[in-house]
Amino acid sequence: MSWIDIGRIDDVPLRGARLVKTRLGCIAIFRTAEAELFAASNACPHKGGPLSEGIVHGQSVTCPLHNWVFDLNTGEAQGADEGRITTYPVRLEAGRILLDARAVTERSAA
């Protein structure tokens, strides 16, 4: 697997997010209160709300438009809502955020 260095961990606030623009669209990089990192598509499948502007709580994010909650591990909507967001492999190495290069450059046929 090859990785793209997208910035420092300190560039993403605790319980916040930052955007990475790719050929496939915007990917949100989320940082939890415990400093865990997650990467997922920025658009809510419900009405396209910007998830990077949502509330990060635990390992979930709440859409700022209609309060849909998504698990950042699986991308699945929680509660009564149905749908999912795409998640991407991300890791932290020596304080740098690394995003899976292949995942953000190739669209899946599935």
Side-chain angles (χ1 to χ4, degrees):
M1 195 178 289
S2 70
W3 299 89
I4 300 171
D5 184 327
I6 58 170
R8 298 175 314 126
I9 182 74
D10 295 333
D11 293 337
V12 183
L14 288 173
R15 294 179 309 281
R18 290 293 182 260
L19 281 181
V20 175
K21 294 182 181 180
T22 75
R23 290 186 354 210
L24 302 179
C26 291
I27 295 173
I29 306 298
F30 298 97
R31 185 176 177 197
T32 69
E34 291 77 29
E36 299 166 294
L37 289 174
F38 296 92
S41 53
N42 188 48
C44 176
H46 175 233
K47 298 277 185 175
L51 295 175
S52 61
E53 297 175 22
I55 298 169
V56 178
H57 48 99
Q59 294 183 343
S60 300
V61 62
T62 298
C63 178
L65 296 185
H66 299 101
N67 294 324
W68 281 36
V69 178
F70 296 92
D71 182 311
L72 291 170
N73 291 290
T74 65
E76 294 293 325
Q78 303 298 292
D81 299 321
E82 293 183 16
R84 72 178 308 274
I85 55 175
T86 302
T87 58
Y88 301 93
V90 65
R91 70 180 194 187
L92 185 64
E93 189 173 290
R96 304 293 298 180
I97 302 168
L98 305 175
L99 190 58
D100 178 15
R102 193 179 63 129
V104 298
T105 57
E106 298 177 3
R107 192 174 298 272
S108 172

